[in-house]
Amino acid sequence: EAQVTQNPRYLITVTGKKLTVTCSQNMNHEYMSWYRQDPGLGLRQIYYSMNVEVTDKGDVPEGYKVSRKEKRNFPLILESPSPNQTSLYFCASRQTGQGNGYTFGSGTRLTVV
Amino acid sequence: AQRVTQPEKLLSVFKGAPVELKCNYSYSGSPELFWYVQYSRQRLQLLLRHISRESIKGFTADLNKGETSFHLKKPFAQEEDSAMYYCALSGNYGGSQGNLIFGKGTKLSVKP
């Protein structure tokens, strides 16, 4: 089944403790992206990647890092999480070509205390 | 700069009433427009794309370049349509222009 898989689904952590949210897709998509979803603010892009070893900042990159060493994986790294990073995170991937929308993962609900 | 505006945070209608979810965009080139739907506690799902001019679950959306709009419409709302709806824009392909920018979303509530 074609899908985007995120792990973990839920995570509670403490301020300052480094964490990684993994994202993997099995559709050989070039584009991958991370979004955070907050009430009243909709979806805001954190980072995106156009292909292996090519990443760029989205609208809200502060406090996050990403890497794209392989086409299928696009992990999101929080080196020193803070409470304002408590949010619902979505990973998504997309095939190049006109009309192709993103396929989204199930989301990761992160709470930083 | 690319921008997507959904002016209504919440839209409440009765079952059987027509629905129109507004979306306006700002983009200097030829955009691609999409509608995504998010049912409670679920992932976002692609609902419509302007390029295919399709009708999904009774919803349609027409790209109006003159008004820079891509409103989502359904003639008769159903209770199961209650969800968050996001309009999204992508520029022409190549480099960062293949990226998707989302509006802030409109919550549709269909009452019995």
Side-chain angles (χ1 to χ4, degrees), chain A residues 85-102:
Chain A
Q85 292 179 298
T86 293
S87 186
L88 178 58
Y89 292 86
F90 286 101
C91 180
S93 72
R94 182 184 193 189
Q95 182 64 286
T96 53
Q98 205 169 23
N100 291 323
Y102 271 118

Side-chain angles (χ1 to χ4, degrees), chain A residues 4 8-9 12 19-20 22 29 32 36-37 43 46 49 57 60-61 63 65 68 81 87 92-93 97 99:
Chain A
V4 176
R9 290 291 306 276
I12 300 174
L19 67 92
T20 299
T22 63
H29 287 172
M32 296 187 75
R36 61 177 289 174
Q37 185 179 36
L43 284 150
I46 303 170
S49 170
K57 296 177 181 178
V60 288
K65 286 173 61 176
R68 189 90 183 272
S87 186
S93 72

Side-chain angles (χ1 to χ4, degrees), chain A residues 18-43:
Chain A
K18 181 180 178 180
L19 67 92
T20 299
V21 183
T22 63
C23 174
S24 180
Q25 51 95 2
N26 61 0
M27 297 166 281
N28 203 35
H29 287 172
E30 284 86 6
Y31 279 90
M32 296 187 75
S33 184
W34 276 103
Y35 294 87
R36 61 177 289 174
Q37 185 179 36
D38 301 287
L41 298 176
L43 284 150

Side-chain angles (χ1 to χ4, degrees), chain A residues 36-44 87, chain B residues 4 6-10 38 84 86 102-107:
Chain A
R36 61 177 289 174
Q37 185 179 36
D38 301 287
L41 298 176
L43 284 150
R44 293 179 294 168
S87 186
Chain B
V4 177
Q6 293 179 250
E8 302 137 329
K9 286 187 179 179
L10 173 65
Q38 186 181 31
M84 278 292 291
Y86 292 94
F102 285 85
K104 292 188 177 180
T106 298
K107 184 174 183 179

Side-chain angles (χ1 to χ4, degrees), chain A residues 23 38 42 47 55 60 63-65 67 71 76 85 93 104 106:
Chain A
C23 174
D38 301 287
Y47 270 94
T55 62
V60 288
Y64 304 94
K65 286 173 61 176
S67 68
K71 201 171 189 179
L76 180 69
Q85 292 179 298
S93 72
F104 279 82
S106 298

